[in-house]
Amino acid sequence: MDGTADTTGRTMEVARIEKERGSDTIVQPRELVEVRYARGVSLSLSARKVFALMMHQAAGDAWRDQEHRIAKRMLRGSHNSNDRLTETIDELMGIFFAMPDKVDGDHGRRTFQMIEETFEGGEQGWLIYRFTRRARDLLKDSEAYALLHRATVLAFDSKYALELYQLGALLYRRDVPIWRGDVETLRAKLGVPEGAYSSFADLRRFVLDAATAEINQLVPQFSVAWDVAKRRAARSSRSQ
């Protein structure tokens, strides 16, 4: 416990209920769906999947100042060794995220990490982890979320498709399920590395078209489409 009142936003309450039901639904807070990658470095596909599973395991207690644990066999996927899992955990520990924030009326950008510390047990052991204070604050107060299907998350072959799937799940069932932004904002949101797919033709072919096709093949709840407005601004990633 962290000594604060046991009152949270709707997201943590829904996550708690889903876990009590034994559900495979991952309740992903809006703040984690919308957060940007800092320093031009984004998570790999395996790290994004592992982080989603860690969120699923922590569920409605993710906001608390406490340790959470998950069996490493649940995170390994098809790999027989923990070697790659250790690399993925190290990657998660080292990644920085960024979001707009305000301190004493001064608007700016806050940079932070999600995972404060981890402990890896033996070959058949546990991964024990704790979220940072900033991450816990975001989780505690979250009022909106995306519902992700665990099997669908694990089935993705593209990190951009997984990122776009989370955004689509956040927009799903809204009155206006549309995301708008320019190309640079879209690149930052998806975590496209600086210098990669520098032309819009390459970004369209290798990121947007490929991710959209994978989502529409794997996700039964909604479909995603996008188009380009005048002046070559990325206009929408639309769930239906």
Side-chain angles (χ1 to χ4, degrees), residues 76-165:
R76 282 199 304 259
S78 59
H79 305 294
N80 295 322
S81 170
N82 286 327
D83 292 345
R84 289 189 61 185
L85 177 59
T86 297
E87 293 177 3
T88 299
I89 298 303
D90 288 347
E91 179 187 351
L92 273 172
M93 290 286 292
I95 203 75
F96 285 84
F97 299 85
M99 60 179 290
D101 204 351
K102 181 174 67 173
V103 175
D104 298 330
D106 186 18
H107 292 269
R109 187 182 85 151
R110 184 178 296 277
T111 304
F112 61 100
Q113 294 168 289
M114 292 290 184
I115 307 298
E116 178 179 306
E117 62 180 15
T118 63
F119 172 80
E120 291 186 62
E123 187 69 20
Q124 302 300 323
W126 297 86
L127 173 69
I128 302 174
Y129 56 99
R130 183 192 300 269
F131 295 107
T132 63
R133 180 183 62 82
R134 177 56 53 183
R136 297 196 305 269
D137 288 346
L138 292 178
L139 299 172
K140 181 177 185 294
D141 296 331
S142 177
E143 294 287 350
Y145 50 87
L147 297 179
L148 312 177
H149 292 271
R150 183 178 182 275
T152 302
V153 167
L154 298 179
F156 278 109
D157 290 326
S158 163
K159 65 180 183 180
Y160 304 124
L162 177 52
E163 195 77 26
L164 199 58
Y165 166 58

Side-chain angles (χ1 to χ4, degrees), residues 17-65:
I17 293 172
E18 290 294 326
K19 186 167 187 178
E20 288 178 353
R21 292 176 52 230
S23 169
D24 280 341
T25 298
I26 300 172
V27 181
Q28 194 73 304
R30 180 191 68 189
E31 290 77 6
L32 299 192
V33 175
E34 294 181 341
V35 73
R36 305 281 179 82
Y37 294 100
R39 305 186 181 182
V41 179
S42 65
L43 291 174
S44 64
L45 175 63
S46 60
R48 296 179 197 216
K49 290 181 179 181
V50 165
F51 185 62
L53 293 174
M54 291 166 70
M55 284 299 305
H56 184 229
Q57 182 69 12
D61 290 326
W63 67 277
R64 298 184 184 277
D65 185 9

Side-chain angles (χ1 to χ4, degrees), residues 179 181-183 186 200-201 203-204 208-209 225-237:
W179 181 91
D182 59 27
V183 174
L186 179 63
F200 185 77
L203 183 71
R204 176 176 58 196
L208 296 177
D209 285 346
W226 64 274
D227 60 20
V228 180
K230 294 181 180 179
R231 298 181 183 175
R232 303 186 74 82
R235 177 183 172 193
S236 68
S237 170

Side-chain angles (χ1 to χ4, degrees), residues 163-229:
E163 195 77 26
L164 199 58
Y165 166 58
Q166 294 187 82
L167 182 58
L170 180 64
L171 296 174
Y172 180 47
R173 291 179 177 169
R174 286 190 182 179
D175 291 339
V176 183
I178 296 174
W179 181 91
R180 290 184 174 89
D182 59 27
V183 174
E184 290 308 312
T185 301
L186 179 63
R187 289 175 61 92
K189 175 67 200 76
L190 297 179
V192 180
E194 293 180 6
Y197 311 122
S198 55
S199 73
F200 185 77
D202 284 346
L203 183 71
R204 176 176 58 196
R205 177 182 177 187
F206 296 110
V207 176
L208 296 177
D209 285 346
T212 298
E214 190 172 359
I215 290 171
N216 292 342
Q217 180 182 11
L218 292 175
V219 180
Q221 291 79 20
F222 59 85
S223 63
V224 169
W226 64 274
D227 60 20
V228 180

